[in-house]
Amino acid sequence: MNSFSYLKKAIKRKNLSLQTVADACQMTKGYLSQLVNDKIKNPSAQKLHSLHQYLQVEESAKDKKIGVIFGKFYPLHTGHIYLIQRAISQVDELYVVLCSDTNRDMALFEQSAMSRQPTINDRIRWLLQTFKYQKNIHIELLEEDGIPAYPNGWHQWSERVKKLFREKGIKPNCVYSSEPQDVAMYKDLFDLETVLIDPTRQFMQVSGTQIRRAPLKNWQYIPTEVRPFFVRTVAILGGESSGKSTLVNKLANVFNTTSAWEYGRDYVFSQLGGDERALQYADYDKIALGHAQYIDFAIKHANKVSFIDTDFVTTQAFCKKYEGKEHPFLQAMINNYRFDLVILLGNNTPWVADGLRHLGSPKQRKDFQQLLITLLEKNNINYIQIDSPDYEERYLRSIELVNQLINDEEY
């Protein structure tokens, strides 16, 4: 345990009373008395810093308290955040070590309800983004490949941790954890005391396993920076005047979430004077980039699910129809943006001319619908087609499909 008797000496040297110092540093006299008499094991780093400043005591590196936390953060959740924030209030510097193992992480993904596997970079980004304003929290990566699975392999693991500490110049005083079963090993292998935070999960009743098995059912425990990864995306496709935009608006409203509008229409108005006759091949990559920004924004702010009006396959279909060839940039966007549910609306609703639509004859509508299907199949995109021309039936069927998507998780 650190000794803080030097604070008592500094107070006497300046001929100050405990009450004066306590008031100046926004703490109680009782707390200060216990601190300077070494009765507090893990004092607040902020309070210590305030005392050092007021008493003009220089903080040396050897006096700094360094904490360390280990975790998979697969994914990062609010339980982790609670642990990290509690720890940083007790130390000067905190090292959060993200532990990765290729085989273990793949197994966790295969046993989960996650639609895609988080990469190591995803997990690092979640930590960096969440704690970017706390400069005394440092994120490090520990690769655990080749080490026997927990709870075995402690000695091999400890050697790799010690190597990381040497390379990064990390000299911790204590480990912060929520796992009582690990306390003895930290003491034996590292000679470090463990500070347990909420080991019974009473304050934050969540685990990584729960999140992986049912992310949407545990939405309240998924941090802001992590939520976009778990948002389910629904793309509504169809030809001109098939009711995509209206349906997207209805679905976003009923599910109380966000939507991404079709950027192509905005582009025509803002860049082409509202007339598609000025559209050319060189415009399609710009349309795709604008639409991607709309999609990213909608996903970032979504409530579990987000609705996308028109995807990149549809834009590619228009490019092929009007320009006679596909666009490689659109193909790249098709490859990179995959949606959890793709609904293709039948091109059989009443035609509504709005000045931007030109494929209105029965043959044109049929041909464009077939082009869409061809491109979807070419890109191995699963889709569900709703052929009913009745708007109410389309709406209700879409709600049914979305409910199946967001409720298809383990309990």
Side-chain angles (χ1 to χ4, degrees):
M1 181 168 66
N2 290 332
S3 174
F4 300 100
S5 58
Y6 68 91
L7 293 172
K8 182 190 291 188
K9 294 177 182 178
I11 292 171
K12 287 183 177 180
R13 189 168 57 248
K14 292 180 177 293
N15 197 28
L16 298 170
S17 69
L18 286 179
Q19 188 65 62
T20 299
V21 176
D23 290 343
C25 297
Q26 297 184 327
M27 64 185 73
T28 65
K29 178 183 176 183
Y31 182 94
L32 179 59
S33 177
Q34 287 187 309
L35 177 62
V36 298
N37 288 292
D38 293 333
K39 301 295 185 183
I40 297 178
K41 183 177 181 181
N42 296 301
S44 162
Q46 284 83 352
K47 286 185 169 116
L48 279 176
H49 182 67
S50 179
L51 284 167
H52 290 154
Q53 281 192 317
Y54 182 73
L55 297 171
Q56 296 180 316
V57 174
E58 185 175 347
E59 296 179 80
S60 65
K62 67 181 179 62
D63 293 327
K64 280 190 174 182
K65 187 170 183 180
I66 310 297
V68 64
I69 289 174
F70 301 98
K72 298 187 295 294
F73 308 107
Y74 198 88
L76 176 70
H77 56 68
T78 53
H80 294 133
I81 292 177
Y82 178 69
L83 169 64
I84 292 169
Q85 298 293 191
R86 284 285 304 276
I88 197 57
S89 70
Q90 300 176 24
V91 298
D92 299 289
E93 305 283 338
L94 180 66
Y95 288 86
V96 179
V97 181
L98 189 162
C99 303
S100 70
D101 182 307
T102 303
N103 293 332
R104 178 198 63 205
D105 296 346
M106 175 59 75
L108 291 176
F109 170 65
E110 291 173 345
Q111 297 162 11
S112 76
M114 297 188 291
S115 58
R116 57 194 175 100
Q117 183 183 11
T119 64
I120 294 173
N121 297 84
D122 286 325
R123 292 147 69 190
I124 292 175
R125 183 181 305 169
W126 295 336
L127 288 163
L128 290 172
Q129 280 289 93
T130 300
F131 302 107
K132 62 186 174 185
Y133 296 116
Q134 293 175 268
K135 301 304 181 184
N136 52 348
I137 296 178
H138 314 285
I139 314 302
E140 301 293 346
L141 174 63
L142 178 70
E143 294 184 358
E144 299 176 332
D145 293 65
I147 298 175
Y150 180 89
N152 302 309
W154 270 98
H155 287 277
Q156 297 97 314
W157 183 80
S158 67
E159 289 304 313
R160 206 167 290 187
V161 171
K162 290 173 184 176
K163 180 182 177 184
L164 174 69
F165 286 174
R166 288 194 301 270
E167 292 174 347
K168 300 292 183 178
I170 303 171
K171 298 178 180 179
N173 308 110
C174 58
V175 178
Y176 286 84
S177 174
S178 298
E179 308 295 341
Q181 67 272 20
D182 296 341
V183 172
M185 299 305 292
Y186 288 135
K187 182 63 177 176
D188 182 47
L189 296 172
F190 299 98
D191 194 27
L192 291 174
E193 299 295 333
T194 301
V195 180
L196 289 174
I197 304 292
D198 196 25
T200 59
R201 308 295 200 276
Q202 289 187 344
F203 181 80
M204 198 66 69
Q205 299 176 5
V206 66
S207 69
T209 301
Q210 289 173 279
I211 301 284
R212 291 191 296 272
R213 288 180 177 174
L216 301 188
K217 290 184 177 66
N218 291 284
W219 191 251
Q220 71 270 31
Y221 299 115
I222 301 178
T224 300
E225 296 296 339
V226 184
R227 283 183 173 181
F229 183 87
F230 290 100
V231 168
R232 299 293 197 247
T233 51
V234 179
I236 308 295
L237 282 57
E240 295 177 342
S241 197
S242 58
K244 299 187 300 297
S245 300
T246 301
L247 179 59
V248 163
N249 184 49
K250 288 181 177 180
L251 292 171
N253 283 341
V254 77
F255 284 96
N256 191 29
T257 190
T258 59
S259 62
W261 293 104
E262 180 183 359
Y263 180 75
R265 298 177 69 85
D266 290 349
Y267 184 84
V268 170
F269 277 105
S270 64
Q271 304 297 323
L272 307 179
D275 194 327
E276 283 187 338
R277 289 178 301 173
L279 187 66
Q280 57 186 321
Y281 188 74
D283 292 310
Y284 283 89
D285 56 351
K286 301 178 182 65
I287 291 173
L289 280 173
H291 196 45
Q293 290 180 325
Y294 278 17
I295 293 171
D296 292 343
F297 184 87
I299 291 173
K300 182 176 178 63
H301 299 281
N303 174 25
K304 300 183 182 180
V305 62
S306 188
F307 297 93
I308 315 302
D309 179 359
T310 305
D311 70 341
F312 299 103
V313 169
T314 308
T315 309
Q316 185 77 285
F318 279 114
C319 182
K320 190 167 184 177
K321 176 69 178 178
Y322 290 123
E323 306 299 331
K325 57 182 177 180
E326 297 182 17
H327 199 296
F329 188 80
L330 288 176
Q331 185 59 52
M333 300 301 276
I334 291 170
N335 296 339
N336 282 297
Y337 280 80
R338 293 285 172 152
F339 303 103
D340 296 294
L341 173 63
V342 176
I343 297 175
L344 176 61
L345 301 178
N347 206 351
N348 53 4
T349 50
W351 173 262
V352 178
D354 66 353
L356 291 180
R357 295 168 177 161
H358 305 286
L359 305 176
S361 72
K363 183 178 186 310
Q364 287 174 319
R365 300 184 79 181
K366 181 179 179 181
D367 289 347
F368 189 80
Q369 188 78 352
Q370 185 55 53
L371 178 56
L372 272 178
I373 292 172
T374 299
L375 289 175
L376 286 168
E377 293 176 350
K378 172 187 173 182
N379 288 282
N380 297 312
I381 296 174
N382 296 322
Y383 65 94
I384 297 175
Q385 187 162 334
I386 300 178
D387 288 319
S388 172
D390 183 84
Y391 293 118
E392 176 73 1
E393 290 181 12
R394 290 182 173 205
Y395 174 61
L396 294 176
R397 175 59 176 152
S398 296
I399 289 178
E400 179 185 1
L401 291 171
V402 175
N403 277 327
Q404 288 175 5
L405 173 70
I406 64 178
N407 293 320
D408 187 20
E409 294 183 347
E410 293 182 26
Y411 287 89

